[in-house]
């Protein structure tokens, strides 16, 4: 157990919630880019819509407590929880927040989730070396980097094909009206899945901090007050928006109609909900990007701006190494004091 004065503990929890706020701000595009780009909702109502359904994920976890597996993976599945110190937590959060701010300013839809994973691993390795890494948890997270956008792309293409066949005999007016409603429902589902998976990452960080400093006794489990604070912080961040990234996700990769928007959001929802059930901290950004590409490709491959998509993928590749490096540096700085 590591001793930490209560004011410093509160300060670190505030830093963690600031990351959660930034996560919501950075990832607002994930669930509302398609509804904004297709003009289904105007930007301000869309942000409020996404924030409400982000927070609604909390009530889902009350009904199904097993959905909190992602928090366990972040809290004790990447670095041995007994090796985590307050300095490691500070380094991890600093590395993740630094990368989030850089990519947000540039309008690059990188992954807040993998920035946090990189920060945790970087600070953890700087503290205890590679022996502290929990390879099972890290490996399944790294595998998800590749699988989530690929599976999302394939699933969205499949949804496009099936629904095109189902509405083949419908009039264009009927099909348009149906897909508008379905698009709104699928966007709501994706917002819930985003809140469910992403808010848990900060919960895991705060819980392991409480555990390592002796403020949490007994079994490693997320306290309810931690869960509520994280969902509120993420919803507030989502309400703040992230307009540059929304533009990239919603229109620069490919132009979407309601049919494609519905297919992308539905495909993303299935992937992210499945990952949450398995306890995998999947990137909602990676997932929806793959889904948007899949929905665009299903119409025609030339509709996708592959140059923009390539730049997004390049940002993915360097996210974990970059945030890990910054996380390690911030950890080393704390050791000086």
């Amino acid at each position: 157990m590591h001793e930490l004065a209560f004011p410093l503990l509160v300060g670190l929890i505030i830093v963690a919630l600031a990351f959660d706020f930034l996560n919501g701000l950075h990832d607002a595009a994930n669930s509302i880019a398609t509804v904004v780009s297709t003009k289904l909702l105007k930007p301000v109502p869309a942000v409020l819509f996404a924030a409400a359904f982000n927070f609604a994920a909390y009530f889902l976890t009350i009904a199904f407590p097993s959905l909190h597996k992602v928090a366990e993976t972040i809290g004790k599945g990447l670095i041995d929880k007994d090796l985590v110190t307050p300095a490691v937590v500070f380094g991890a959060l600093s590395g993740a927040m630094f990368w989030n701010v850089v990519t947000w300013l540039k309008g690059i839809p990188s992954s807040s989730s993998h920035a946090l994973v990189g920060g945790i691993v970087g600070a953890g390795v700087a503290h205890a070396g590679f022996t502290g890494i929990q390879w099972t948890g890290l490996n399944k997270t790294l595998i998800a980097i590749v699988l989530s956008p690929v599976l999302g792309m394939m699933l969205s293409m499949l949804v496009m094909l099936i629904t095109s066949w189902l509405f083949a005999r419908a009039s264009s007016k009927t099909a348009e009206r149906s897909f508008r409603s379905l698009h709104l429902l699928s966007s709501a589902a994706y917002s819930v899945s985003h809140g469910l998976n992403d808010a848990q990452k900060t919960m895991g960080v705060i819980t392991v901090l409480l555990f390592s400093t002796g403020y949490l006794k007994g079994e490693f489990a997320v306290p309810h007050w931690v869960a509520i604070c994280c969902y509120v912080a993420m919803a507030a961040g989502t309400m703040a928006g992230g307009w540059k990234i929304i533009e990239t996700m919603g229109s620069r990769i490919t132009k979407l109609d309601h049919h494609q928007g519905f297919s992308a959001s539905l495909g993303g929802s299935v992937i992210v909900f499945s990952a949450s059930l398995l306890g995998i901290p999947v990137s909602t950004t990676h997932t929806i990007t793959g889904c948007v590409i899949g929905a665009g490709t299903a119409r025609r491959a030339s509709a996708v701006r592959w140059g923009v998509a390539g730049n997004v993928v390049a940002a993915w590749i360097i996210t974990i190494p970059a945030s890990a490096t910054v996380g390690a540096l911030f950890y080393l700085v704390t050791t000086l004091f």
Side-chain angles (χ1 to χ4, degrees), residues 286-301:
H286 291 196
T287 303
I288 197 62
T289 302
C291 293
V292 167
I293 292 173
T297 304
R299 189 61 56 84
R300 66 181 190 279

Side-chain angles (χ1 to χ4, degrees), residues 114-144:
H114 293 143
L116 180 59
V117 169
I120 291 171
V121 172
V125 169
H127 172 66
F130 288 96
T131 56
I133 295 178
Q134 302 293 296
W135 291 104
T136 301
L138 181 58
N139 286 339
K140 71 179 182 181
T141 301
L142 295 176
I143 291 171

Side-chain angles (χ1 to χ4, degrees), residues 72-85:
E72 295 179 8
T73 298
I74 290 292
K76 61 181 182 179
L78 300 176
I79 297 293
D80 186 344
K81 67 180 185 300
D82 295 322
L83 297 177
V84 174
T85 67

Side-chain angles (χ1 to χ4, degrees), residues 22-318:
L22 193 59
N23 191 349
L25 173 70
H26 191 276
D27 289 359
N30 293 344
S31 53
I32 62 173
T34 61
V35 294
V36 171
S37 66
T38 56
K39 296 181 172 58
L40 181 60
L41 292 176
K42 292 183 178 179
V44 172
V47 167
L48 296 174
F49 173 86
F53 283 102
N54 266 267
F55 185 77
Y58 170 69
F59 301 102
L60 191 62
T61 60
I62 292 177
F64 304 99
S66 61
L67 290 174
H68 266 164
K69 290 181 181 178
V70 173
E72 295 179 8
T73 298
I74 290 292
K76 61 181 182 179
L78 300 176
I79 297 293
D80 186 344
K81 67 180 185 300
D82 295 322
L83 297 177
V84 174
T85 67
V88 169
V89 172
F90 177 76
L93 291 170
S94 299
M97 292 174 73
F98 172 84
W99 187 248
N100 269 0
V101 170
V102 169
T103 53
W104 174 62
L105 291 174
K106 297 291 185 181
I108 301 170
S110 67
S111 169
S112 298
S113 306
H114 293 143
L116 180 59
V117 169
I120 291 171
V121 172
V125 169
H127 172 66
F130 288 96
T131 56
I133 295 178
Q134 302 293 296
W135 291 104
T136 301
L138 181 58
N139 286 339
K140 71 179 182 181
T141 301
L142 295 176
I143 291 171
I145 291 178
V146 178
L147 282 185
S148 60
V150 172
L151 292 177
M153 182 174 66
M154 295 171 61
L155 185 56
S156 295
M157 291 177 70
L158 181 62
V159 172
M160 281 286 292
L161 293 172
I162 292 174
T163 51
S164 294
W165 176 74
L166 290 174
F167 283 86
R169 296 186 178 180
S171 66
S172 59
K173 186 176 180 179
T174 300
E176 175 73 5
R177 185 170 59 250
S178 298
F179 283 123
R180 283 178 66 90
S181 300
L182 290 171
H183 186 189
L184 194 62
L185 288 173
S186 64
S187 294
Y190 195 73
S191 291
V192 173
S193 71
H194 169 254
L196 178 65
N197 200 280
D198 274 27
Q200 285 192 63
K201 292 151 191 171
T202 307
M203 290 180 212
V205 171
I206 295 176
T207 303
V208 75
L209 175 64
L210 295 172
F211 182 86
S212 66
T213 53
Y215 288 94
L216 178 64
K217 305 293 185 181
E219 184 181 354
F220 187 94
V222 179
H224 278 294
W225 68 267
V226 172
I228 292 173
C229 288
C230 288
Y231 282 116
V232 169
M234 173 159 285
T238 300
M239 283 191 290
W243 310 115
K244 288 184 178 181
I245 299 174
I246 288 173
E247 180 186 1
T248 299
M249 294 290 293
S251 60
R252 289 184 61 203
I253 293 176
T254 185
K255 295 290 185 181
L256 298 174
D257 57 24
H258 292 300
H259 186 186
Q260 292 168 308
F262 158 70
S263 300
S265 298
L266 179 60
S269 301
V270 172
I271 298 298
V272 177
F273 273 122
S274 299
S276 297
L277 284 171
L278 296 172
I280 301 174
V282 72
S283 167
T284 52
T285 306
H286 291 196
T287 303
I288 197 62
T289 302
C291 293
V292 167
I293 292 173
T297 304
R299 189 61 56 84
R300 66 181 190 279
S302 61
V304 177
R305 295 184 176 92
W306 295 103
V308 175
N311 292 337
V312 172
V313 172
W316 295 352
I317 294 172
I318 64 173

